[in-house]
Amino acid sequence: MRKIVAGAVLLLVALCAWGAQMRSRGVSTAPILIDVYSDFQCPACKALYERTLGPLMYEYVDKGKVYLVHHEYPLPMHAHAMEAACYACAASRVGKYEQVCDVLFRQQETWAANGKVDETVCSILTPAEAKRVRALAKDPAIAAQIKQDIQAGQSAQVNQTPTMILTYRGKQYRLPGANYDILRRFIDQLLAN
């Protein structure tokens, strides 16, 4: 019985690690790591996604200078944030995380008001992908993955969304809701040293 429980725990840990990898972008050996803690229903997170993360990915992540890891941090005050996080994590398992993030942030006002997270997410998926994502969104492993992100955020003393934690040469810098121009100058300064 212990072997079965130990095996199940190892499988869950592996699935959570695999899911976290799918919610990352860039080269894991990049000199800078940025962990982003955000909530799909948070207007400030939407602004960060639209104004900062896009240019960051193009100019730094895709060029191997920054490794970006997204962590789900749904706030209890947002009625549909947990469901959105579950759908996004489920979509990561079918290789559609970035597309689902995009539609959730782009249509945030609509689904946040009407609660139609499923309809919003599935609008950009094939019928087969939608069926799989719907099933995965209810999987306890997905809830465990989100809980793990929340615990990591609490350990890192994340007290608002969005929060970005930049790590360079073992030193961490907390960047709540960073402006892209400020972030770009900061990254350039770090990389110049």
Side-chain angles (χ1 to χ4, degrees):
M1 182 68 172
R2 284 185 179 160
K3 288 182 182 181
I4 292 171
V5 171
V9 168
L10 286 175
L11 179 62
L12 181 60
V13 168
L15 285 173
C16 288
W18 179 73
Q21 284 181 324
M22 297 300 291
R23 295 178 298 134
S24 63
R25 184 163 166 177
V27 180
S28 62
T29 57
I32 294 176
L33 164 67
I34 298 180
D35 289 287
V36 179
Y37 291 85
S38 70
D39 172 337
F40 287 108
Q41 200 170 342
C42 166
C45 295
K46 174 184 166 114
L48 177 78
Y49 178 80
E50 292 173 342
R51 298 180 194 147
T52 303
L53 296 184
L56 176 73
M57 286 188 267
Y58 176 74
E59 293 184 28
Y60 294 95
V61 175
D62 293 343
K63 293 180 180 173
K65 297 175 183 178
V66 170
Y67 184 56
L68 184 68
V69 178
H70 186 91
H71 300 275
E72 309 308 332
Y73 206 78
L75 299 174
M77 64 191 210
H78 292 140
H80 307 293
M82 179 59 86
E83 181 181 7
C86 288
Y87 271 85
C89 287
S92 75
R93 305 280 172 92
V94 297
K96 296 288 184 166
Y97 183 75
E98 288 187 28
Q99 294 88 337
V100 167
C101 288
D102 185 59
V103 76
L104 284 170
F105 280 125
R106 212 173 356 99
Q107 296 183 19
Q108 182 188 77
E109 282 186 37
T110 303
W111 63 261
N114 67 22
K116 295 182 180 180
V117 175
D118 176 86
E119 184 178 298
T120 301
V121 169
C122 293
S123 71
I124 55 103
L125 301 174
T126 67
E129 290 168 341
K131 181 179 179 182
R132 182 144 161 74
V133 166
R134 283 182 176 119
L136 285 167
K138 296 174 184 159
D139 187 329
I142 295 291
Q145 182 178 352
I146 295 167
K147 185 176 180 181
Q148 187 179 35
D149 278 358
I150 292 169
Q151 289 172 339
Q154 290 169 341
S155 294
Q157 299 177 346
V158 170
N159 58 11
Q160 70 182 47
T161 61
T163 293
M164 298 190 334
I165 300 173
L166 185 149
T167 305
Y168 178 71
R169 294 185 179 168
K171 188 167 183 183
Q172 289 190 336
Y173 305 89
R174 183 174 306 279
L175 309 165
N179 169 291
Y180 182 68
D181 290 330
I182 294 169
L183 179 61
R184 180 180 48 78
R185 286 193 295 269
F186 185 58
I187 290 172
D188 287 344
Q189 181 182 7
L190 289 175
L191 293 173
N193 290 330

